[in-house]
């Protein structure tokens, strides 16, 4: 089955700096890669996703890149703000053939004002 | 638009008591449905998923069970709770390509 690894487990950055979270996956059949943000006590919220036919996707201050050959994808947050502090999860799924989403173990991001 | 409901929001139950958590989805048909558990400060553990009425797949052996009596209803149950069942229980739905989570039920087993 699919195995998703996520690094780092914790990340602290100064406000205004960039943050990068990286994930690797093992199953070449995976073709959909969402990222979730979970604030304390809340549900995970989908913030951005990318499909395997795209190498990069951007939405304001967040972007995701995908390298299918190396089987890794990354979340980039620029100009970080205190409200970006949360736990971020990556996931992988074979959306057109599979039913399961495989999650990374999460990255706790702290943005220091 | 699609909406997912879970109840109750919080629950405190003694060890050995039964459990029933309910999840319903509005605004979509024939979704895949999932139950996840999240221990404090930990990641998401998939417990069950369902691709249709009466179709349940279990990911880990445990004292929990799930049922899907209707297309948009997913129920998580236990006959006897353990201390280790404490956690944040999240229901999720997906259609091809996207998955969304419900608001969750915080369960404390005492």
């Amino acid at each position: 089955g699919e195995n998703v690894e996520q690094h780092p487990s914790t990340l602290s950055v100064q406000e205004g700096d960039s943050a990068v979270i990286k994930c690797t996956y093992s199953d070449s059949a995976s073709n959909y890669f969402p990222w979730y943000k979970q604030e304390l006590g809340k549900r995970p919220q989908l913030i951005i996703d990318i499909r395997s036919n795209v190498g990069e996707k951007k939405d304001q201050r967040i972007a995701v890149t995908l390298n299918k050959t190396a089987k890794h994808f990354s979340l980039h947050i620029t100009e970080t703000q205190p409200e970006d502090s949360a736990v971020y999860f990556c996931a992988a799924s074979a959306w057109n053939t599979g039913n399961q989403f495989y999650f990374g173990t999460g990255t706790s991001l702290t943005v220091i004002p | 638009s699609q909406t997912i409901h879970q109840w109750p929001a919080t629950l405190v139950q003694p060890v050995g008591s039964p459990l029933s958590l309910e999840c319903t989805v509005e605004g979509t048909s024939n979704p895949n449905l999932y139950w996840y558990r999240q221990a404090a400060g930990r990641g998401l553990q998939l417990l069950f998923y369902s691709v249709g009425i009466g179709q349940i797949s279990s990911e880990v052996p445990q004292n929990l069970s799930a049922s899907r009596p209707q297309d948009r209803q997913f129920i998580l149950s236990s006959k006897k709770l353990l201390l280790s069942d404490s956690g944040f229980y999240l229901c999720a739905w997906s259609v091809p390509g996207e998955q969304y989570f419900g608001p969750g039920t915080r369960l404390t087993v005492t």
Side-chain angles (χ1 to χ4, degrees):
Chain A
E2 176 65 282
N3 181 46
V4 177
E5 295 190 357
Q6 183 172 348
H7 300 281
S9 57
T10 60
L11 180 61
S12 292
V13 299
Q14 292 289 335
E15 182 177 359
D17 288 349
S18 295
V20 180
I21 302 170
K22 299 182 179 181
C23 288
T24 61
Y25 62 100
S26 60
D27 190 348
S28 57
S30 291
N31 54 15
Y32 174 66
F33 307 93
W35 285 89
Y36 292 85
K37 175 184 180 182
Q38 187 178 27
E39 297 176 344
L40 193 62
K42 303 284 185 65
R43 76 182 92 180
Q45 297 270 23
L46 178 66
I47 57 171
I48 195 167
D49 56 16
I50 192 167
R51 301 180 193 277
S52 60
N53 58 346
V54 176
E56 182 174 0
K57 183 176 178 180
K58 195 172 182 180
D59 183 2
Q60 299 183 338
R61 295 186 298 107
I62 60 173
V64 57
T65 58
L66 171 64
N67 183 325
K68 285 190 297 181
T69 303
K71 294 193 182 70
H72 67 70
F73 57 111
S74 300
L75 177 71
H76 304 253
I77 306 173
T78 59
E79 300 172 20
T80 53
Q81 301 169 4
E83 52 264 37
D84 294 328
S85 295
V87 177
Y88 292 81
F89 291 97
C90 64
S93 174
W95 70 270
N96 53 335
T97 59
N99 303 307
Q100 294 193 51
F101 287 72
Y102 298 88
F103 284 85
T105 49
T107 296
S108 178
L109 173 65
T110 301
V111 179
I112 303 166
Chain B
S1 64
Q2 300 87 354
T3 307
I4 181 166
H5 302 279
Q6 278 187 253
W7 62 90
T10 60
L11 192 59
V12 180
Q13 292 282 99
V15 168
S17 63
L19 174 74
S20 181
L21 303 180
E22 189 165 342
C23 169
T24 59
V25 181
E26 297 177 356
T28 186
S29 295
N30 197 31
N32 290 344
L33 296 174
Y34 308 79
W35 279 111
Y36 292 89
R37 178 169 62 198
Q38 189 174 35
R42 305 296 295 274
L44 297 160
Q45 179 189 26
L46 178 64
L47 301 175
F48 301 94
Y49 71 94
S50 171
V51 300
I53 296 173
Q55 301 179 63
I56 309 294
S57 296
S58 174
E59 284 302 295
V60 293
Q62 59 216 334
N63 66 323
L64 301 171
S65 62
S67 62
R68 186 170 177 174
Q70 301 180 43
D71 181 45
R72 288 172 283 181
Q73 184 184 30
F74 205 22
I75 298 171
L76 182 70
S77 304
S78 174
K79 293 182 179 178
K80 288 186 177 181
L81 283 169
L82 306 173
L83 283 174
S84 58
D85 291 324
S86 293
F88 191 37
Y89 287 80
L90 290 155
C91 180
W93 69 272
S94 77
V95 291
E98 298 178 357
Q99 184 176 70
Y100 297 92
F101 288 89
T105 295
R106 191 161 305 280
L107 172 66
T108 302
V109 182
T110 61

